[in-house]
């Protein structure tokens, strides 16, 4: 990304200490190691996607970062300090969690004003953040009449009240329609462009590929991979090939154990671990006619599935 063109709203470069650092984090519930010796870092000025199959431990991790769940072991720090030790947490960290809501009979504006009041923030800030999230037209409507998408927007507005350096968002795209998802993407990117640290969990892998600069992938409470989206895609290795042949078994046997071959629709095979020339040569050796050989682009979704295969068991 173009770091040089990024301007910091507060007129300075992001402090190196605005990042999040998770180190040796463990959370054991009665029967399950929800988070199992997890370490990763999240940089300022970037959107970091936090990905993992259901039950991987994403929510538990985010809640430990925010001091809402007590770690069994390990630490999570924001700008070098644990959440509990932050001097002004509301202005340092904004959070959107899955269950965040508001009193049903309260208007969106009053909900935000109450939060301002509780946090010692001028109540005029409520209207600013309503505007930022596009809820001004619904400001005086009651929360119970808000759609899921409007509730998510109100949650984002609440997270932004303290103009925080760091944002921690659990599934912020939940309930948003395609236009809302695009809006969320633009908002989070612009918040990162201002130098903020943005950590966002999601199931929407194609969206993450568009949104995130970095990703942290976990499965079964453990780190699977951390890196830039480009690195993760590149690390998946050889291109994925779509092959059509009347003799798929012979071809797969010839390619050996180094490849994984998955049957796809109408008899084609998807092969990971061998490139076009390798597959062509193997086909020639066993006399398997090739009717189609197409390189498929790796995307975050199929790399994610490859990286987390077999690790996604419900625990
Ligand atoms: N309060 C709790 N008590 C007992 N077990 C829990 C508790 N919270 C989470 N778990 C368990 O810890 C594991 C991780 O759950 P967590 O919600 O952190 O995963 P997740 O990655 O956010 O999942 P999802 O994508 O499905 O929301 C799961 O096995 C879950 O059942």
């Amino acid at each position: 990304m173009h770091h040089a063109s990024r301007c910091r709203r507060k007129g300075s470069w992001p402090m190196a200490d605005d990042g999040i650092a998770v180190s040796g984090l463990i959370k054991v519930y009665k029967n399950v190691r929800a988070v199992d010796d997890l370490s990763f870092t999240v940089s300022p000025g970037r959107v970091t996607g936090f990905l993992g199959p259901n039950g991987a431990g994403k929510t538990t991790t985010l809640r430990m970062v925010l001091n809402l769940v007590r770690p069994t072991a390990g630490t999570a720090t924001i700008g070098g300090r644990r959440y509990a030790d932050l001097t002004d947490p509301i202005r340092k960290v904004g959070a959107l969690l899955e269950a965040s809501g508001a009193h049903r009979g309260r208007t969106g504006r009053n909900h935000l004003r109450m939060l301002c009041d509780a946090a010692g923030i001028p109540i005029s800030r409520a209207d600013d953040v309503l505007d930022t999230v596009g809820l001004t037209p619904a400001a005086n409507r009651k929360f119970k009449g808000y759609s899921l998408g409007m509730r998510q927007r109100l949650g984002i507005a609440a997270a932004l009240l303290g103009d925080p350096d760091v944002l921690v968002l659990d599934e912020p795209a939940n309930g948003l329609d395609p236009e809302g998802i695009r809006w969320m993407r633009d908002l989070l990117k612009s918040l990162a462009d201002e130098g903020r640290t943005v950590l966002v969990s999601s199931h929407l892998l194609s969206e993450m590929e568009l949104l995130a600069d970095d990703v942290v992938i976990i499965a079964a409470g453990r780190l699977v991979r951390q890196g830039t989206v480009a690195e993760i895609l590149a690390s998946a290795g050889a291109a994925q090939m779509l092959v059509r042949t009347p003799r798929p078994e012979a071809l797969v046997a010839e390619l050996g154990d180094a490849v994984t071959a998955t049957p796809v629709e109408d008899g084609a095979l998807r092969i990971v671990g061998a490139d076009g020339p390798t597959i062509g040569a193997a086909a020639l050796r066993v006399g398997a006619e090739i009717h189609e050989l197409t390189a498929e682009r790796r995307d975050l979704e199929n790399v994610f599935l490859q990286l987390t295969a077999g690790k996604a068991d419900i625990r």
Side-chain angles (χ1 to χ4, degrees), residues 84-103:
D85 299 330
L86 295 174
T87 44
D88 199 356
I90 299 290
R91 286 179 179 76
K92 188 71 180 176
V93 190
L96 173 73
L97 293 171
E98 271 170 332
S100 38
H103 187 280

Side-chain angles (χ1 to χ4, degrees), residues 121-151:
I121 293 168
I123 59 165
S124 61
R125 182 74 188 146
D127 284 350
D128 296 346
V129 295
L130 281 167
D131 187 48
T132 304
V133 303
L135 270 185
T136 304
N140 291 325
R141 281 158 58 186
K142 288 183 176 155
F143 184 74
K144 65 182 173 198
Y146 276 21
S147 68
L148 193 50
M150 291 162 76
R151 290 174 187 207

Side-chain angles (χ1 to χ4, degrees), residues 19-235:
I20 298 171
V22 164
S23 178
L25 209 54
I26 297 176
K27 180 65 194 184
V28 180
Y29 289 113
K30 235 172 267 159
N31 299 316
V32 60
R33 294 178 81 83
V35 175
D36 192 4
D37 196 15
L38 183 61
S39 302
F40 63 88
T41 57
V42 182
S43 303
R46 300 173 71 78
V47 176
T48 299
F50 191 33
L51 314 178
N54 284 133
K58 301 180 295 296
T59 298
T60 303
T61 301
L62 297 182
R63 295 182 79 90
M64 287 194 279
V65 170
L66 297 165
N67 196 35
L68 297 169
V69 165
R70 187 191 182 85
T72 304
T75 56
T77 57
I78 297 164
R81 292 180 178 202
R82 284 188 295 208
Y83 188 95
D85 299 330
L86 295 174
T87 44
D88 199 356
I90 299 290
R91 286 179 179 76
K92 188 71 180 176
V93 190
L96 173 73
L97 293 171
E98 271 170 332
S100 38
H103 187 280
R104 290 173 52 72
R106 200 164 279 142
T107 67
R109 174 180 278 133
N110 281 340
H111 170 66
L112 294 172
R113 285 182 170 174
M114 282 193 47
L115 294 177
C116 286
D117 231 18
I121 293 168
I123 59 165
S124 61
R125 182 74 188 146
D127 284 350
D128 296 346
V129 295
L130 281 167
D131 187 48
T132 304
V133 303
L135 270 185
T136 304
N140 291 325
R141 281 158 58 186
K142 288 183 176 155
F143 184 74
K144 65 182 173 198
Y146 276 21
S147 68
L148 193 50
M150 291 162 76
R151 290 174 187 207
Q152 285 297 89
R153 288 182 190 237
L154 189 66
I156 300 282
L160 293 173
L161 274 178
D163 194 18
D165 299 317
V166 178
L167 283 153
V168 175
L169 311 168
D170 200 3
E171 299 279 353
N174 257 0
L176 295 181
D177 58 17
E179 190 274 331
I181 287 176
R182 171 183 288 241
W183 165 82
M184 175 74 68
R185 183 191 316 151
D186 292 345
L187 175 68
L188 298 185
K189 277 175 177 285
S190 70
L191 291 166
D193 280 347
E194 290 167 347
R196 294 178 227 246
T197 304
V198 181
L199 176 61
V200 45
S201 79
S202 182
H203 288 111
L204 305 174
L205 296 166
S206 52
E207 172 56 24
M208 273 296 159
E209 194 169 347
L210 296 173
L211 167 66
D213 301 300
D214 300 323
V215 290
V216 173
I217 300 177
I218 67 169
R222 293 175 158 269
L223 184 72
V224 173
R225 198 63 66 85
Q226 154 154 44
T228 67
V229 172
E231 282 166 1
I232 300 278
L233 293 178
S235 73

Side-chain angles (χ1 to χ4, degrees), residues 5-23:
S5 66
R6 286 179 167 168
C7 57
R8 175 73 173 153
R9 86 216 117 100
K10 285 172 182 169
S12 63
W13 286 102
M15 301 291 289
D17 67 4
D18 272 348
I20 298 171
V22 164
S23 178

